[in-house]
Amino acid sequence: MGKYVVLPATHQTDCGRFRASFSVHRSRDSDSHCRVFHFDKAFASREAARLFAVTQGWLQTSMPTLPAR
């Protein structure tokens, strides 16, 4: 299994709420892979959106392999 780097991000919406996203970077030998995940759910605070992104990133990297699109 390769090493993963999960980078959570938050984005403020026009109405002042926050959306979550994260990217997963994986490298193994000479191969590297990056996926970005965006979520439609809006949160009242930036911290809540960040926590959601971190949790989703952890769940994604806990899976045996990243699912194909």
Side-chain angles (χ1 to χ4, degrees):
M1 181 179 280
K3 295 182 179 182
Y4 296 98
V5 175
V6 177
L7 301 172
T10 60
H11 313 278
Q12 190 167 15
T13 65
D14 293 338
C15 66
R17 294 181 63 83
F18 297 89
R19 293 203 176 178
S21 66
F22 71 91
S23 61
V24 177
H25 302 268
R26 178 184 64 158
S27 59
R28 181 175 38 194
D29 300 326
S30 64
D31 184 35
S32 65
H33 182 79
C34 177
R35 295 217 30 216
V36 179
F37 297 82
H38 298 276
F39 300 96
D40 291 333
K41 182 173 176 61
F43 298 88
S45 71
R46 186 176 303 276
E47 183 59 23
R50 188 192 70 76
L51 182 59
F52 182 81
V54 168
T55 302
Q56 293 301 310
W58 177 80
L59 289 170
Q60 186 66 32
T61 57
S62 295
M63 296 169 52
T65 60
L66 290 174
R69 275 193 154 167

